[in-house]
Amino acid sequence: MQKFPYNKDKQQAFQAAQQGYEEAQGLYETIVTDSASYGHQLKHLKNEVNEAYQQIENALEVASDHQRAQLERFQQDLRQMVSEVNQYE
């Protein structure tokens, strides 16, 4: 297996983290709190958020300063999402 250059690893890690964050955010925006499937949607959201957190943690290990700032904003937004949905449980 060919080893990617360090910068490509950084970019791929960042892109994976960004994609995970965007998926969690999209799911968060579609949750309907009075829906019959809210519990299922909430569980799915929490799984997505946990996955996004892991991707962000991995990306932070190799991130540039600019990427690190963006990744930390992603984490902050994810924490806010979790905080808001927990109010409805």
Side-chain angles (χ1 to χ4, degrees):
M1 188 170 98
Q2 184 179 359
K3 181 74 177 130
F4 290 112
Y6 182 68
N7 283 343
K8 189 161 185 178
D9 281 350
K10 279 202 289 193
Q11 189 61 30
Q12 285 184 328
F14 179 80
Q15 286 172 343
Q18 185 174 30
Q19 183 177 359
Y21 164 76
E22 288 170 355
E23 286 172 9
Q25 187 177 39
L27 192 59
Y28 169 75
E29 290 171 359
T30 62
I31 282 187
V32 180
T33 55
D34 60 354
S35 165
S37 64
Y38 177 70
H40 173 74
Q41 289 176 329
L42 186 61
K43 184 178 178 188
H44 187 55
L45 173 64
K46 287 183 177 182
N47 288 340
E48 286 291 332
V49 167
N50 287 336
E51 196 173 306
Y53 253 111
Q54 190 59 55
Q55 290 168 324
I56 291 168
E57 289 296 324
N58 292 343
L60 279 169
E61 292 178 15
V62 295
S64 67
D65 288 343
H66 175 73
Q67 288 173 332
R68 181 174 303 281
Q70 184 66 46
L71 291 165
E72 288 170 353
R73 281 193 293 274
F74 290 164
Q75 282 182 317
Q76 191 173 3
D77 288 351
L78 289 171
R79 279 193 290 271
Q80 182 65 33
M81 280 182 225
V82 170
S83 173
E84 288 183 20
V85 297
N86 282 340
Q87 293 175 14
Y88 297 110
E89 283 191 279

